[in-house]
Amino acid sequence: MSAIKYELIKEDKRSGARVGKIITPHGEIPTPIFMPVGTRATVKAMLPESLKEINAKIILGNTYHLYLRPGDDIIKKAGGLHKFMNWDRPILTDSGGFQVFSLSKTNDITEEGVTFRSHIDGSRHFISPEKSMEIQNNLGSDIMMAFDECVPYGADKKYTKDSLEMTTRWAKRCKEAHKNTEHQGLFGIVQGGMFKDLRKQSAEQLIDLDFPGYALGGLSVGEPMDMMFDLLDYTTPLLPKDKPRYLMGVGSPDALLEGVKSGIDMFDCVLQTRMARNGTALTSAGKVTLKNAKYKEDFTPLDDKCDCYVCRNYTKAYLRHLVICKEILSSMLVSYHNLYFTLKLMENMRNAIMEDRFLEFKHEFEKEYGII
Ligand SMILES: O=c1[nH]cnc2c(CCNCC3CCCCC3)c3[nH]c(NCc4cccs4)nc3cc12
Ligand SMILES: [Zn+2]
């Protein structure tokens, strides 16, 4: 019995959009869903209670960071990541691979695994598919990601093909090393770079390994947006309809709308919280850069169409003041709103799909947001 089950509830007749739910040991997740990113066992500047207030259903944990600090062994002794961080809803952990490539200085990739130096103290470490499974098993996440190589944008076809074939071999090793299958589900990650035939090959090889869910990797890595959307439109329908699809590292409101239209169920992105700490808010009328002097005496809410705690109690002038003074509260309030805004967008998309008006909703949102 797999720990993760997906139920397809409704398919849009005019696009790939769909509503479903993912059933996990720590609760159910309505899809399409956005997953706030919790890097070091915290969604930055957010209390778990605030995350529940804004209806966050699942958050991400970061295997690379938690392995280095405090150590997955300590988190295991604490009773797992849920207990350690006081979060009793579902958690998805990444494999650690992506961070090794994007954060650590030197990394040497071999069939066996990746040798790298910690970005914290320069100490040498080695992560393999088996080691990634051991760490994620210690963290106790509901959904684990296979150890993959995210092919850099611009890699040539031969490198991309060799890499996807190694990612498939690594996925097989992950599946074989994965214990605790009753309580933790393991998702495979489709690679193949910017090449449709390689995307097909990667998808087919991973489907043969029969995972309870599939991620699309190697996207949102610097390629033009329309190239990502084209690859999305091509690759997503290749994946099984009865399993969740997770588009990694995406994204901004416009990308979320396109991803849902292609049939993606799960998203994660650091933008919402990273922009917040930099004083930029997402609103229905587009981005608001609070440092702008025009908000100095603007006593209106961040977003007059948002009913969140922040928009009901604070003005742009006040939030700008906090951002200018680098007050801690600015990160808390703008993160709260940005996550609420994004989770509310997903809920509005789910309702629109249920009422057969998804494309109309998408068009309206894009017009108001200033995308079209
Ligand atoms: O092929 C991939 N394999 C594995 N992970 C990928 C990720 C990381 C997704 N967020 C993980 C989170 C885990 C918990 C902590 C935070 C990250 C990607 N992120 C992006 N784009 C956004 C990007 C972000 C930074 C550079 S590109 N493309 C990605 C492609 C892959
Ligand atoms: Zn708000």
Side-chain angles (χ1 to χ4, degrees), residues 37-39 60-62 94 98-99 148 150 189 191 217-221 246 248-249 268 270:
V37 163
T39 294
L60 260 59
N62 186 321
D94 76 312
F98 185 77
Q99 252 74 37
D148 66 328
C150 174
I189 305 178
Q191 292 292 344
L219 295 174
S220 183
V221 287
Y246 165 22
M248 304 189 88
D268 88 271
V270 294

Side-chain angles (χ1 to χ4, degrees), residues 43-63:
V43 175
K44 292 189 190 315
M46 292 291 288
L47 287 167
E49 287 71 17
S50 304
L51 286 168
K52 290 190 173 175
E53 248 171 53
I54 64 174
N55 233 346
K57 297 290 184 198
I58 175 171
I59 62 171
L60 260 59
N62 186 321
T63 299

Side-chain angles (χ1 to χ4, degrees), residues 87-303:
W87 177 256
D88 62 2
R89 294 182 178 183
I91 296 176
L92 180 149
T93 46
D94 76 312
S95 73
F98 185 77
Q99 252 74 37
V100 165
F101 296 118
S102 59
L103 278 185
S104 73
K105 305 239 170 344
T106 57
N107 56 68
D108 165 37
I109 311 169
T110 67
E111 184 68 34
E112 196 39 38
V114 182
T115 307
F116 65 95
R117 286 194 178 285
S118 158
H119 72 289
I120 300 167
D121 60 11
S123 53
R124 283 168 64 80
H125 298 267
F126 174 74
I127 289 199
S128 62
E130 293 77 13
K131 181 66 180 164
S132 175
M133 293 300 104
E134 181 194 336
I135 298 168
Q136 294 182 73
N137 277 158
N138 287 342
L139 298 177
S141 48
D142 301 271
I143 300 173
M144 299 162 50
M145 299 309 293
F147 191 72
D148 66 328
E149 183 188 14
C150 174
V151 175
Y153 177 55
D156 67 31
K157 190 153 191 178
K158 173 162 180 11
Y159 183 92
T160 304
K161 182 171 172 57
D162 293 345
S163 173
L164 87 82
E165 288 166 353
M166 183 169 70
T167 285
T168 300
R169 293 192 296 274
W170 281 358
K172 195 166 185 312
R173 283 169 53 187
C174 285
K175 194 173 163 91
E176 285 155 4
H178 176 30
K179 313 262 176 308
N180 203 13
T181 51
E182 292 277 294
H183 301 106
Q184 296 183 272
L186 173 64
F187 282 17
I189 305 178
V190 175
Q191 292 292 344
M194 306 296 138
F195 306 97
K196 286 181 178 175
D197 55 338
L198 297 185
R199 285 275 164 189
K200 187 168 190 297
Q201 180 191 347
S202 178
E204 285 169 351
Q205 290 180 346
L206 291 172
I207 290 166
D208 285 349
L209 291 172
D210 188 26
F211 288 106
Y214 294 89
L216 288 179
L219 295 174
S220 183
V221 287
E223 75 280 12
M225 270 294 226
D226 54 349
M227 186 184 282
M228 179 176 86
F229 295 153
D230 184 42
L231 282 161
L232 211 46
D233 250 354
Y234 172 77
T235 314
T236 310
L238 303 177
L239 297 173
K241 269 194 182 311
D242 64 341
K243 304 218 170 139
R245 295 106 169 230
Y246 165 22
L247 177 54
M248 304 189 88
V250 172
S252 53
D254 47 332
L256 294 172
L257 285 156
E258 281 302 327
V260 169
K261 181 167 169 270
S262 299
I264 297 293
D265 306 301
M266 302 159 75
F267 301 87
D268 88 271
C269 188
V270 294
L271 254 185
Q272 282 72 6
T273 41
R274 188 174 292 172
M275 283 166 70
R277 293 194 300 282
N278 189 29
T280 303
L282 296 169
T283 78
S284 42
K287 283 182 199 161
V288 168
T289 306
L290 285 161
K291 288 175 186 162
N292 193 313
K294 70 181 178 186
Y295 299 120
K296 208 167 181 173
E297 300 183 22
D298 182 337
F299 303 112
T300 64
L302 208 40
D303 183 345

Side-chain angles (χ1 to χ4, degrees), residues 40-86:
R40 299 191 184 92
T42 157
V43 175
K44 292 189 190 315
M46 292 291 288
L47 287 167
E49 287 71 17
S50 304
L51 286 168
K52 290 190 173 175
E53 248 171 53
I54 64 174
N55 233 346
K57 297 290 184 198
I58 175 171
I59 62 171
L60 260 59
N62 186 321
T63 299
Y64 169 81
H65 282 280
L66 295 171
Y67 158 74
L68 289 176
R69 202 170 39 178
D72 54 293
D73 50 333
I74 288 180
I75 293 178
K76 182 176 185 178
K77 283 183 194 136
L81 187 53
H82 287 90
K83 207 153 167 9
F84 187 59
M85 69 181 289
N86 183 32

